[in-house]
Amino acid sequence: MPELPEVEVSRLGITPHMLKQTVKQVRVHQAQLRWPVPDDVYQLEGKTITDISRRAKYLMISVDTGSVILHLGMSGNLRVVDNSVPLKKHDHIEIELENGKVLRLNDPRRFGACLWQAAGEIHSSLLKLGPEPLTDDFDADYLYKKSRHKQTAIKQFLMDNSVVVGVGNIYANESLFKAGIHPKRAAGKISKKRYQQLVPIVKQTLADAIEQGGTTLKDFAQTDGKPGYFAQKLLVYGRKGEPCVTCKEPLMEIRQGQRSTVYCKNCQK
């Protein structure tokens, strides 16, 4: 599943081609994605794109009347190509620009979304989201206070979008290993000192992934078609049974919330 770094890399990739361009046409080839695609998305036509932003794992392409909200779901990706390039299978949404380029949302599993947010409003999908992890709003004081009396395991606590957005499974695994925190430890039992260590690690882990182009996942490619390379540097995720990079003991795997958690029983307490 594309996580925050992959979505941010997609935003960075499409922005130079789309920002301040006029939308010529919107084409919806498959309206039944995770939610039905609303007719409001056609409001983009004839409008100039004023901003391309991200909130959590949602991308917003904005004009003066509102924003199309895109979500990549579990297997989606975005490409900006010349409008003469033939459609690929599973190209469900197209936003054609006056400059001859077209943005295509490709989503084989159709768990992604294309929604509309009117100007001055906040879509219901965005209402209950926590702070962005790379902003000053996400700090050790905030996370410590938010965690008090919580019996939730720290890994699931970090992955709760109402606590902080975008710390998905891969980056929660990696951050907790680097911080030496056991993924099953109750969030409310972790000291403020350890949160002061964890928060900068989360920020740096995500920032490194964005800088290096996103993690290479099965269905993810950058907008230029080149895969990311951060997967080569993963310390625990996907490495069950392999030696820990620190102590050389075999890494363990458990399931938390139906997701794989890989950790070192010696290095994480």
Side-chain angles (χ1 to χ4, degrees):
M1 179 184 295
E3 296 191 14
L4 184 148
E6 285 74 39
V7 179
E8 179 64 11
V9 167
S10 293
R11 186 190 71 82
L12 294 171
I14 69 174
T15 294
H17 302 287
M18 301 188 70
L19 188 62
K20 297 183 180 179
Q21 297 294 326
T22 299
V23 177
K24 182 177 180 180
Q25 188 178 18
V26 175
R27 293 186 288 272
V28 178
H29 302 295
Q30 173 55 263
Q32 294 300 316
L33 301 181
R34 184 174 182 182
W35 301 286
V37 178
D39 290 340
D40 287 332
V41 299
Y42 293 107
Q43 290 189 46
L44 281 187
E45 294 182 345
K47 300 286 188 178
T48 298
I49 296 171
T50 58
D51 189 34
I52 300 175
S53 57
R54 179 190 55 76
R55 181 72 171 106
K57 294 197 289 185
Y58 295 90
L59 284 176
M60 287 164 281
I61 299 172
S62 300
V63 297
D64 59 357
T65 56
S67 307
V68 161
I69 301 174
L70 298 176
H71 193 287
L72 300 181
M74 297 183 70
S75 60
N77 67 76
L78 295 171
R79 304 186 327 278
V80 176
V81 298
D82 292 332
N83 59 19
S84 60
V85 174
L87 284 171
K88 289 185 176 182
K89 187 178 181 181
H90 309 303
D91 279 346
H92 300 318
I93 307 291
E94 293 186 278
I95 300 175
E96 184 180 351
L97 307 173
E98 294 283 2
N99 65 1
K101 299 291 186 181
V102 58
L103 176 73
R104 290 176 178 163
L105 170 64
N106 186 282
D107 185 8
R109 300 183 71 179
R110 288 198 282 163
F111 286 149
C114 179
L115 306 169
W116 177 257
Q117 175 179 273
E121 297 182 3
I122 300 177
H123 193 275
S124 59
S125 299
L126 309 179
L127 283 174
K128 296 182 180 180
L129 296 177
E132 291 283 334
L134 296 178
T135 65
D136 292 341
D137 291 335
F138 178 62
D139 61 16
D141 287 341
Y142 164 80
L143 201 57
Y144 176 75
K145 291 174 184 176
K146 195 79 174 175
S147 69
R148 292 308 86 189
H149 311 297
K150 298 287 187 182
Q151 296 302 314
T152 310
I154 181 59
K155 186 188 165 213
Q156 279 132 312
F157 183 69
L158 277 180
M159 292 177 62
D160 183 344
N161 279 327
S162 68
V163 175
V164 57
V165 301
V167 186
N169 193 43
I170 293 174
Y171 302 109
N173 271 271
E174 294 295 298
S175 297
L176 290 172
F177 173 75
K178 293 174 187 177
I181 298 173
H182 196 288
K184 291 179 70 175
R185 180 173 288 278
K189 300 291 186 181
I190 294 173
S191 68
K192 189 171 185 178
K193 182 178 179 180
R194 299 198 81 184
Y195 277 121
Q196 288 170 337
Q197 297 169 334
L198 176 62
V199 167
I201 287 172
V202 170
K203 289 175 179 281
Q204 192 61 54
T205 299
L206 291 170
D208 287 346
I210 292 168
E211 181 179 353
Q212 297 182 46
T215 305
T216 304
L217 298 178
K218 180 179 178 182
D219 296 303
F220 177 76
Q222 292 182 25
T223 50
D224 62 2
K226 297 178 182 178
Y229 297 103
F230 187 65
Q232 298 176 24
K233 296 189 176 184
L234 296 177
L235 301 177
V236 288
Y237 182 82
R239 296 190 61 237
K240 171 191 174 183
E242 296 181 29
C244 170
V245 296
T246 302
C247 74
K248 309 307 179 185
E249 286 295 311
L251 296 173
M252 310 292 290
E253 181 182 41
I254 56 175
R255 305 294 290 185
Q256 290 181 286
Q258 301 181 332
R259 306 298 298 277
S260 168
T261 299
V262 181
Y263 70 101
C264 179
K265 64 180 181 181
N266 290 337
C267 297
Q268 292 173 256
K269 305 295 182 182

